Amino acid sequence: QVQLVESGGGLVQAGGSLRLSCAVSGSRAYTMGWFRQAPGKDREFVAAIKWSGITTYYSPSVKGRFTISRDAAKNTVYLLMNSLNVEDTAVYYCAADIDDRLATFESWYDFWGQGTQVTVSS
């Protein structure tokens, strides 16, 4: 069983930055993804990173503003979010794909965290 615990959410003004963390239990290799769900909307893909830490993929809506990374020693994945805008307001979830496929599809992920709220004010 894999457990994922997100942290780092909060309230920030537009143009500001936040860094989300996802602590991962277990020692297997996973693709780690970040997804988000805004009120009244479906959950959407944000970014993913293969466990090697070398290959990443971003949604066009966040590319150039967000950076996904991992610290192997800490078994933690991060999402650094810069130039935040009101449209980034959502609950952010991290997820693990045990087949390490760099997937963008929600259904390909096997384990999910509880989510952390990010609110961007104008």
Side-chain angles (χ1 to χ4, degrees):
Q1 188 73 9
V2 175
Q3 289 190 327
L4 309 176
V5 180
E6 301 103 331
S7 60
L11 175 64
V12 63
Q13 286 190 328
S17 299
L18 277 176
R19 190 180 76 162
L20 306 182
S21 300
C22 176
V24 184
S25 68
S27 59
R28 288 187 58 176
Y30 314 104
T31 281
M32 296 300 301
W34 284 98
F35 289 76
R36 66 186 181 185
Q37 187 167 22
K41 295 187 176 181
D42 292 335
R43 189 154 56 183
E44 65 173 357
F45 170 79
V46 175
I49 185 168
K50 289 182 70 75
W51 199 242
S52 66
I54 297 174
T55 306
T56 60
Y57 188 76
Y58 297 91
S59 164
S61 64
V62 306
K63 191 172 183 180
R65 299 189 298 124
F66 291 11
T67 303
I68 189 171
S69 62
R70 63 177 286 267
D71 183 328
K74 295 182 178 180
N75 233 12
T76 300
V77 176
Y78 302 99
L79 185 69
L80 175 62
M81 306 183 294
N82 294 322
S83 302
L84 285 161
N85 55 57
V86 175
E87 290 72 31
D88 295 316
T89 295
V91 177
Y92 284 71
Y93 299 89
C94 70
D97 165 24
I98 62 175
D99 292 315
D100 201 20
R101 294 170 288 186
L102 200 67
T104 62
F105 300 108
E106 184 178 343
S107 61
W108 286 23
Y109 286 81
D110 306 285
F111 300 100
W112 292 82
Q114 81 287 353
T116 185
Q117 176 71 46
V118 172
T119 303
V120 184
S121 63
S122 58

